[in-house]
Amino acid sequence: MLRKLGSYLLKYKALLGSLILVMMIVAILSGFTIGMIIPVVSSIFGKSHASSGPWIFRWLINWIGKGDRMSGLFKLAVSLILIYGIKFPFSLLLCYLSDFLEQKVIEVIRVDMFRNLTNLSYRFHSMMKSGELLSKITNDTEKVRFALRRGVIDLSRNLFLLMVYLCLALWASWRLFLISLILAPITLGIIHFIGKKVRGRFTLLRKQRGFLNTLASEMLQGIKVIKSFGMEEYELDKFKDANKLYRKNYVKSYLLKGFLPASSEFLGSILAGAILVVGGILIYKGIITPDRFLVFLGSIILAQQPTRQMNLAYGDLQHGLASMESVREIIEADDFVKDDGKVNLISFSDAIRFKNVYFYYDHSKPILKNINLEIKRGETVALVGPSGAGKTTLVNLILRFADPTNGQIDIDGKDIREFSLKSLRSKIGIVTQDVILFNDSIRNNIQYGNPDAGEKALYESLKKSHLEDFVESLVEGLDTEIGERGERISGGEKQRIAIARAILKNPPILILDEATSSLDAEAERLVQDAMAELLKGRTAIVIAHRLSTVRNADRIIVIDKGEIVEEGSHKELFESGGLYARLYELQFKDEDYPRKG
Ligand SMILES: Nc1ncnc2c1ncn2[C@@H]1O[C@H](COP(=O)(O)OP(=O)(O)OP(=O)(O)O)[C@@H](O)[C@H]1O
Ligand SMILES: [Mg+2]
């Protein structure tokens, strides 16, 4: 997974290189600020108390040493300010480059996911839960971002800092360095152990918080059911219990968390004590000069911060890599409908033919079995059958949302796989069972299938779908925003917008999955009329839930358990007394009475 993340990072080699360079510069400048202890000791306590240090410090010591004490102090202050002054823009650059690289990589990952998701087959989408996919795009990329930031960028930055501090400490006194080397791992080990326990607790805490959210959202969504069953008290008790558990665990977890810095401070003091004693002895014996002792102390104290950060960053990295795995599942998923047809479907002139078509989701049971069906140009065919019979699956195959497992579908005598997907789909319009509208204006929703359509065609489609009066009644007319999933307009209006969209696209072949939701009589009439307009002059396959549609169809195909079981006109099928007649009793008959009356 790290490799995958790495491959994304490596797309920006120059950026990555500059970032590493700046990290190094900042780390070295940070080392410099500690090194300033040397000239400070030298100028305040005298040269004999300070070691010479690297050439730059020797030069500094000499420069500061010239003139009187006051001017020395002044020069010291100036050099300190100067070092920080140089460090300042680099620190800023470091922030900028880190953010830039991080966001660039995440942007590409997010877009890659989106791109692949739009290209993945309908079959892939029908098998994944859309909520799960959504969470991958939003939550998981956020976790990957965090891992990248903490586990890669911050980790490297702190690694450089740590290296500089450790080098300084080693230079200052290898003896003291050795002592820390023995004591530090013990201290770190203990801290790590407690840290692990804390993390475990917090994972549990997160889960419990998630459960609280679930309970609350379930309550809000199910409020009707809760009220109708009189379960208000029960739900409240459930929520109370979960809250109590969460509160108890929260307090315990935070106590343990608080224990971490307190204990590490205490353990650190043992290390400091040891260094103090040994360091003091080394100075008394004249083995090291005081400035070295101070440099050592400074770098060891400062080294703690990057060490701690690296430890945390490592944990975050592990955490984030799990999300990277989940992101990769999407980026590398390859359940595509192959788009290698070379022929452009320019016009539709003869017929759509299903030839021995079988379709399986998995190998256990066929969803469609040996479908042989011909739909002539200009015909309206109604598809009826019980729920789950395979009607939607059958029409999906024409659009190549999935390909038949066996057999083939021809249009005008050519296997539809020979056509380019784009040209095939441009000839087919679809109005789905549950109308899908976007959070946009009415205009953009209608123009979706044909963005280049002129104003005239747009108004024509409004008229045919009986939307004219509705749109005119709106203050903002066509530019009215319909809200998420069209929440601001009625069910019948939604259906008519979907119809207008299909009319504007003007495809020769039409697939209609009739909505099952019932509308009131007036709204129903408007939708029916709009539908009739849409069907005019087209070849249509209608998954029918309305009697009027079935009656107006040229032919009715009855599907049961993936097979065509009956075929004929309403009258024929009704009189033969088979499945259609039974379905009629169940599904369509109720509609019949008011119409007769
Ligand atoms: N992604 C999937 N994986 C496995 N089986 C599926 C999947 N999608 C649908 N099915 C199954 O395929 C069968 C046919 O479904 P289809 O949606 O075509 O039925 P339908 O006739 O359109 O039903 P309805 O009238 O309820 O819309 C059903 O048994 C369904 O459970
Ligand atoms: Mg269906």
Side-chain angles (χ1 to χ4, degrees):
M1 272 326 93
L2 197 55
R3 193 178 307 157
K4 185 76 206 162
L5 195 57
S7 74
Y8 272 102
L9 270 173
L10 284 180
K11 284 188 186 166
Y12 303 98
K13 287 200 187 75
L15 196 58
L16 191 64
S18 334
L19 181 62
I20 291 176
L21 189 70
V22 173
M23 278 177 181
M24 284 170 158
I25 293 174
V26 170
I28 290 170
L29 287 172
S30 302
F32 246 91
T33 53
I34 305 180
M36 281 308 285
I37 290 175
I38 304 169
V40 168
V41 169
S42 155
S43 76
I44 295 177
F45 300 103
K47 273 189 189 177
S48 61
H49 289 283
S51 54
S52 46
W55 67 268
I56 179 108
F57 289 109
R58 273 204 300 279
W59 180 83
L60 256 178
I61 290 171
N62 281 335
W63 179 61
I64 292 165
K66 277 180 206 148
D68 58 33
R69 276 204 155 180
M70 266 325 280
S71 78
L73 276 180
F74 181 71
K75 283 177 186 167
L76 204 60
V78 169
S79 6
L80 251 176
I81 293 168
L82 213 66
I83 288 181
Y84 277 101
I86 297 171
K87 197 179 152 194
F88 177 68
F90 280 106
S91 301
L92 217 60
L93 193 61
L94 182 63
C95 275
Y96 172 75
L97 287 177
S98 306
D99 285 332
F100 193 82
L101 183 67
E102 162 200 306
Q103 287 302 320
K104 196 80 207 168
V105 169
I106 293 306
E107 179 189 340
V108 176
I109 290 182
R110 233 188 258 129
V111 170
D112 273 2
M113 281 176 98
F114 196 96
R115 178 185 301 114
N116 215 32
L117 278 173
T118 52
N119 288 334
L120 278 162
S121 72
Y122 175 75
R123 173 199 169 97
F124 174 91
H125 283 279
S126 68
M127 299 219 251
M128 293 290 269
K129 292 191 195 81
S130 69
E132 211 173 286
L133 292 176
L134 200 62
S135 144
K136 279 176 195 271
I137 300 184
T138 52
N139 298 345
D140 286 342
T141 46
E142 178 55 26
K143 283 185 200 151
V144 170
R145 181 201 68 77
F146 191 66
L148 179 68
R149 181 49 177 247
R150 302 277 303 139
V152 179
I153 298 177
D154 286 357
L155 194 80
S156 328
R157 185 169 62 86
N158 283 300
L159 186 69
F160 285 124
L161 269 179
L162 187 67
M163 271 169 9
V164 167
Y165 290 150
L166 290 185
C167 285
L168 263 176
L170 192 62
W171 168 80
S173 163
W174 62 266
R175 294 179 181 83
L176 289 174
F177 189 78
L178 221 60
I179 294 176
S180 331
L181 218 56
I182 296 162
L183 285 179
I186 301 174
T187 320
L188 285 177
I190 296 174
I191 293 171
H192 183 73
F193 174 74
I194 303 173
K196 216 167 156 181
K197 275 217 147 23
V198 171
R199 273 200 294 281
R201 283 230 153 237
F202 274 81
T203 313
L204 183 68
L205 207 59
R206 240 193 331 270
K207 275 192 194 142
Q208 286 177 337
R209 195 167 43 226
F211 185 58
L212 287 186
N213 286 345
T214 311
L215 281 181
S217 90
E218 264 180 11
M219 181 274 285
L220 292 174
Q221 281 169 8
I223 189 73
K224 251 186 177 165
V225 180
I226 294 171
K227 278 188 190 299
S228 66
F229 284 92
M231 292 296 267
E232 293 94 335
E233 277 299 316
Y234 171 79
E235 292 294 330
L236 180 61
D237 285 344
K238 225 167 40 174
F239 192 62
K240 272 185 185 164
D241 289 346
N243 262 298
K244 203 162 138 189
L245 201 67
Y246 176 71
R247 189 223 328 133
K248 281 187 180 160
N249 194 19
Y250 184 96
V251 174
K252 269 194 218 157
S253 305
Y254 273 86
L255 185 67
L256 195 65
K257 195 181 174 188
F259 187 70
L260 195 62
S263 60
S264 65
E265 207 174 64
F266 177 68
L267 288 168
S269 73
I270 296 177
L271 183 64
I275 289 172
L276 215 62
V277 172
V278 178
I281 293 172
L282 289 176
I283 295 177
Y284 290 147
K285 294 209 163 175
I287 296 172
I288 59 170
T289 43
D291 67 320
R292 287 204 181 217
F293 178 69
L294 290 174
V295 168
F296 180 84
L297 216 56
S299 28
I300 282 294
I301 291 171
L302 286 180
Q304 282 186 12
Q305 177 71 4
T307 312
R308 216 176 3 250
Q309 286 298 324
M310 280 172 66
N311 197 18
L312 288 176
Y314 182 71
D316 293 334
L317 178 66
Q318 293 305 324
H319 205 78
L321 287 184
S323 298
M324 187 65 209
E325 169 71 41
S326 138
V327 164
R328 199 185 60 109
E329 272 174 26
I330 301 299
I331 293 177
E332 290 180 1
D334 59 354
D335 188 350
F336 299 112
V337 166
K338 277 209 188 74
D339 184 16
D340 43 19
K342 301 275 183 295
V343 185
N344 269 333
L345 179 59
I346 295 169
S347 65
F348 169 59
S349 55
D350 178 29
I352 304 170
R353 259 182 221 100
F354 281 67
K355 292 181 179 167
N356 309 321
V357 168
Y358 284 78
F359 182 77
Y360 294 78
Y361 269 107
D362 48 53
H363 293 284
S364 57
K365 83 172 202 273
I367 306 293
L368 291 177
K369 267 181 281 185
N370 198 23
I371 302 286
N372 284 291
L373 177 64
E374 184 178 81
I375 301 147
K376 282 242 149 62
R377 187 176 160 212
E379 239 188 336
T380 295
V381 169
L383 230 50
V384 297
S387 179
K391 306 178 295 287
T392 304
T393 311
L394 190 143
V395 295
N396 282 348
L397 295 185
I398 305 177
L399 276 153
R400 289 199 66 204
F401 284 153
D403 283 329
T405 317
N406 281 312
Q408 70 178 64
I409 302 168
D410 288 357
I411 289 185
D412 291 351
K414 246 194 177 65
D415 189 331
I416 54 173
R417 281 171 284 209
E418 287 176 38
F419 299 119
S420 73
L421 267 184
K422 211 178 161 84
S423 76
L424 172 74
R425 289 179 183 163
S426 74
K427 293 288 170 286
I428 307 172
I430 181 165
V431 179
T432 47
Q433 203 161 7
D434 21 77
V435 174
I436 295 162
L437 298 180
F438 297 97
N439 188 1
D440 204 335
S441 63
I442 295 179
R443 177 194 301 277
N444 288 342
N445 266 293
I446 296 179
Q447 281 188 330
Y448 198 74
N450 190 358
D452 306 324
E455 215 57 5
K456 197 163 160 255
L458 188 63
Y459 276 95
E460 192 64 23
S461 73
L462 280 184
K463 209 158 115 191
K464 286 186 176 159
S465 56
H466 297 285
L467 275 170
E468 231 178 357
D469 292 346
F470 167 65
V471 170
E472 262 165 30
S473 75
L474 298 167
V475 184
E476 289 177 76
L478 271 174
D479 297 312
T480 308
E481 297 282 329
I482 60 166
E484 223 173 294
R485 272 177 249 110
E487 68 200 355
R488 282 183 226 142
I489 55 177
S490 81
E493 286 149 8
K494 265 188 251 181
Q495 288 184 24
R496 278 180 286 145
I497 288 180
I499 291 169
R501 177 154 76 191
I503 290 178
L504 193 64
K505 184 178 173 184
N506 196 21
I509 302 168
L510 194 76
I511 289 169
L512 223 103
D513 207 342
E514 271 187 341
T516 35
S517 56
S518 48
L519 300 171
D520 65 54
E522 174 61 12
E524 182 66 39
R525 191 186 59 77
L526 286 174
V527 170
Q528 292 282 319
D529 288 354
M531 209 89 96
E533 278 293 335
L534 175 60
L535 290 175
K536 257 187 207 161
R538 288 178 227 275
T539 311
I541 304 168
V542 188
I543 298 177
H545 295 285
R546 294 190 184 92
L547 185 69
S548 55
T549 318
V550 179
R551 285 216 165 128
N552 292 335
D554 299 310
R555 197 151 44 108
I556 299 166
I557 311 282
V558 187
I559 297 194
D560 190 24
K561 300 193 186 85
E563 279 178 296
I564 297 182
V565 290
E566 288 167 28
E567 204 173 327
S569 70
H570 169 71
K571 193 162 175 290
E572 284 162 16
L573 293 176
F574 183 65
E575 282 168 4
S576 76
L579 178 62
Y580 178 79
R582 283 207 302 284
L583 282 172
Y584 172 81
E585 288 288 324
L586 287 171
Q587 217 177 321
F588 304 126
K589 201 172 132 200
D590 294 345
E591 259 179 75
D592 223 359
Y593 290 122
R595 273 159 216 263
K596 273 181 180 167

